[in-house]
Amino acid sequence: MATILIVEDEIPINELLKRNLQSVGHTCICVFDGRAAIHELEQREVDLVLLDIMLPELDGYEVFRQIRGTPTIFLTAKSSLPDKVKGLTLGADDYLAKPFEMLELLARVDAVLRRTKKECRRFELDGVTIDFESRQVFLDGSPVECTPKEFALLEVLVNNRNIALSRDKLLELAWGFDYVGDTRTVDVHIQKLRKKLDMESRIKTVYKMGYRLEV
């Protein structure tokens, strides 16, 4: 997993980001102004920076100019098209306007880490090994055959581990926005994954909602 510097002056948002990123396995460093961000980056190496723009001391644009080379996602209330164009033109890896859905942020973090080759594309838990690059799954070293949808669902659960996901959200993320069908499809695939990977105790049912992979 990755070490992520969160540069956000609003304490509740900073804490929310930290809690969700840590829940999927990342290590977080939290600062609340631009100068503190520069100081942290001089002291240690991080894999990704989540950077607000309207910050005390130094604004996010100036921080970004000084940390150029470190993968960065602007995370800001400045949501106009010129602001987005400016942020991306400066060289940021992504730009996400507030308010945002946490699942979207986690997906964008994963995408940037994949591009910058900082993200480990293997996941291991209780004898289950998933190689996301080769799309292979193993249980105690033996290959397990998963259908494309089973693998897609498994990848969504792993990327959002410890987070409760509704059946509708799982359909959206694993099947696609244009999927038209019964949410019981999710239940059927979950049951198959539990059985194939011996993960009955890990893939939890969230009452009247959906499922959560607990790690």
Side-chain angles (χ1 to χ4, degrees), residues 108-151:
R108 289 179 183 240
V109 165
D110 286 343
V112 171
L113 291 173
R114 281 198 302 274
R115 287 201 302 272
T116 55
K117 301 187 185 301
K118 296 292 187 181
E119 176 68 302
C120 175
R121 296 302 293 155
R122 288 174 70 90
F123 176 79
E124 298 183 8
L125 179 67
D126 294 346
V128 175
T129 301
I130 307 166
D131 186 322
F132 292 106
E133 296 298 337
S134 66
R135 299 181 68 82
Q136 290 179 296
V137 183
F138 302 89
L139 176 59
D140 296 328
S142 299
V144 178
E145 291 297 327
C146 290
T147 67
K149 287 306 177 194
E150 288 170 356
F151 190 89

Side-chain angles (χ1 to χ4, degrees), residues 27 62-63 66 70 81 95-96 106 146-147 156 189 200 210-211:
T27 299
E62 182 56 33
V63 172
Q66 295 193 32
T70 304
L81 180 59
Y95 191 110
L96 185 59
L106 294 176
C146 290
T147 67
V156 169
H189 283 72
E200 286 83 358
Y211 297 95

Side-chain angles (χ1 to χ4, degrees), residues 38 41 49 51-52 58-74 86-93:
I38 298 295
L41 288 163
V49 180
L51 182 59
D52 194 5
L58 291 176
D59 69 27
Y61 293 135
E62 182 56 33
V63 172
F64 182 72
R65 290 188 183 95
Q66 295 193 32
I67 66 169
R68 190 175 293 277
T70 304
T72 299
I73 298 176
F74 278 124
K86 180 178 180 179
L88 294 171
T89 301
L90 284 173
D93 295 85

Side-chain angles (χ1 to χ4, degrees), residues 4-85:
I4 298 176
L5 177 65
I6 302 170
V7 190
E8 168 60 63
D9 62 323
E10 293 187 46
I11 295 174
I13 297 177
N14 198 315
E15 179 61 30
L16 180 66
L17 292 168
K18 174 186 171 184
R19 189 165 61 247
N20 280 276
L21 289 165
Q22 287 183 335
S23 73
V24 297
H26 297 301
T27 299
C28 294
I29 305 161
C30 299
V31 297
F32 303 90
D33 64 68
R35 291 196 187 283
I38 298 295
H39 176 74
E40 283 295 332
L41 288 163
E42 289 173 347
Q43 302 299 313
R44 66 180 89 193
E45 185 173 341
V46 304
D47 301 307
L48 175 67
V49 180
L50 297 183
L51 182 59
D52 194 5
I53 292 176
M54 294 180 286
L55 291 167
E57 303 292 338
L58 291 176
D59 69 27
Y61 293 135
E62 182 56 33
V63 172
F64 182 72
R65 290 188 183 95
Q66 295 193 32
I67 66 169
R68 190 175 293 277
T70 304
T72 299
I73 298 176
F74 278 124
L75 194 61
T76 173
K78 295 171 76 69
S79 58
S80 71
L81 180 59
D83 288 324
K84 294 177 182 178
V85 170

